[in-house]
Amino acid sequence: MPTRILPAVGDPDAVRSVTTLLSQLPDAEPVAPVADSTQLIDTLARLAAESVDELPEVVVVHERIGPVPALELIREVALRFPAVGVILITTDASPNLFSAAMDSGARGLVAQPLSYEELAHRVQAVAQWSVGVRRHLGHGGDVFTGVGGTVVTVSGAKGGVGTTLTAIQLALAAQASGRNAALLDMDLQTGDIASYLDVQFRRSVVDLATITDISPRVLADAVFRHDTGLALLLAPGEGERGEEVTDRAARQIVSALRSRYEVVVVDCGAQLGGAGAAAVEMADTALLVTTPDVLAVRGAKRIVRMWDRLQIRKAEETTIVVNRHTRGTEIQPALIQKITGTAIASTAIPANFKELQGAVDAGRIHALDNKSTVKQALWGLAGELGLVKANESGHRGSRGSVGFRRRRDGGG
């Protein structure tokens, strides 16, 4: 049986040398290389959604892959696709890097310049390991597809546009429909989910920042279980401590949540730091909330362009949500879509703060009346995004109306 090998190499010269050598290996079946970390994860997730048997036995990761650093990418692959063996290609073959690569979940390390004998030996060993893991899993392998839960980030075009309200209601809608949902407050300096839900808490996301291997028990200790059943991982009470959550820590935290919950909603606020950027980059769906006014729309356009420049998210991979919408306003969703170049949610949230004020002031936004037009719209948005289960009558929110979602089941 041929060994399927997926190279993840961004550098053009390295691509040629790696693919040439891989094609010469006995019983090797190299597949088309991927150029960055996002393509690698998306490709593996699409294959895993079909079957664990569709996954390649070996993934070869070059040290200069991006935008996610190589060791962090290896850690995510090992966590989400444990039946795939990863080999790191690097110019630094020091014992320290070898140890760090093994700690991240790599099954081998090959030094540059590449040697045919060393690469062949390492690929063969890792392929045998992968086959053994799959044989051990047997028919139970379907639970190790690595697809995990759906991650949705909610960011604001500027402060005060309704980012936190949107994130909370999306998570509540998912939980109420029968999904196992988590809400992560990644607005690290000014996050206020706890106030919206009247929660007193001791632990926060900062407690996970320095942990390199977040076990289910460690995660459970940091999560607050709300009366609604929603799992909350909150921002620190002292905003300055938010700096302790690095982009690397954020990726590990989001991956840990994804592995335990069907739906993970992340409130990223309106200020983008390294941790928030990592969450947006990892998300299946990245929402950007704006209001239909000039300042907010300018802010949305500025954020979309910044995400694109920093290779966090392409404009067409971002979905705008219009909050406080009225038919009489001059700036309508279609114009916002044209200005930003993004997809746009077909569900617009109506302007009706009077419905919300009592619940917001009381810190009981979860007890918002079901007759509220704002709540109905936000829960309709959750259906549109595919975050809720179909009800007994078989109705489901439309998935097709949102322009782009990083679908890990192969959809576009």
Side-chain angles (χ1 to χ4, degrees), residues 212-228:
T212 57
D213 185 12
I214 303 175
S215 67
R217 175 174 291 183
V218 169
L219 182 64
D221 287 342
V223 165
F224 180 92
R225 182 68 63 174
H226 192 258
D227 293 342
T228 58

Side-chain angles (χ1 to χ4, degrees), residues 3 10 15 17 39 88 100 165 207 210 242 255 261 270-271 274 294 320 370:
T3 299
V15 168
S17 62
Q39 289 184 29
L88 174 64
L165 173 69
D207 292 293
T210 59
S255 293
Y261 297 94
Q271 298 296 322
V294 172
I320 293 283
N370 289 334

Side-chain angles (χ1 to χ4, degrees), residues 1-157:
M1 178 180 176
T3 299
R4 293 163 296 181
I5 309 170
L6 174 58
V9 187
D11 181 80
D13 294 332
V15 168
R16 286 190 290 272
S17 62
V18 170
T19 54
T20 299
L21 272 181
L22 290 176
S23 64
Q24 296 173 3
L25 299 181
D27 298 321
E29 187 179 293
V31 298
V34 294
D36 58 43
S37 57
T38 300
Q39 289 184 29
L40 175 60
I41 295 299
D42 286 351
T43 299
L44 293 177
R46 174 176 53 80
L47 295 171
E50 299 175 16
S51 168
V52 69
D53 293 330
E54 296 299 318
L55 287 166
E57 286 78 20
V58 180
V59 168
V60 177
V61 174
H62 192 270
E63 64 180 351
R64 291 200 299 272
I65 196 73
V68 176
L71 292 183
E72 295 177 24
L73 178 61
I74 290 170
R75 186 184 300 276
E76 184 173 357
V77 171
L79 176 66
R80 294 177 56 187
F81 311 98
V84 174
V86 184
I87 296 173
L88 174 64
I89 294 178
T90 177
T91 55
D92 176 14
S94 66
N96 287 340
L97 181 63
F98 182 85
S99 177
M102 298 303 106
D103 288 343
S104 296
R107 300 301 307 177
L109 184 148
V110 178
Q112 289 185 301
L114 294 176
S115 158
Y116 173 86
E117 290 76 13
E118 183 183 8
L119 184 62
H121 173 73
R122 186 52 52 199
V123 166
Q124 182 181 24
V126 173
Q128 290 176 349
W129 172 87
S130 177
V131 170
V133 169
R134 298 178 196 206
R135 186 181 300 118
H136 176 71
L137 293 177
H139 294 295
D142 287 344
V143 301
F144 288 90
T145 59
V147 177
T150 297
V151 175
V152 178
T153 54
V154 186
S155 305

Side-chain angles (χ1 to χ4, degrees), residues 131-206:
V131 170
V133 169
R134 298 178 196 206
R135 186 181 300 118
H136 176 71
L137 293 177
H139 294 295
D142 287 344
V143 301
F144 288 90
T145 59
V147 177
T150 297
V151 175
V152 178
T153 54
V154 186
S155 305
K158 67 181 186 67
V161 296
T163 307
T164 298
L165 173 69
T166 301
I168 291 173
Q169 290 297 330
L170 291 178
L172 287 172
Q175 182 70 31
S177 76
R179 301 280 188 192
N180 187 21
L183 178 59
L184 169 60
D185 197 343
M186 200 62 84
D187 187 1
L188 296 171
Q189 292 188 336
T190 58
D192 219 16
I193 285 177
S195 297
Y196 273 82
L197 297 175
D198 193 24
V199 169
Q200 302 295 323
F201 65 100
R202 291 186 304 107
R203 297 190 180 276
S204 74
V205 65
V206 171

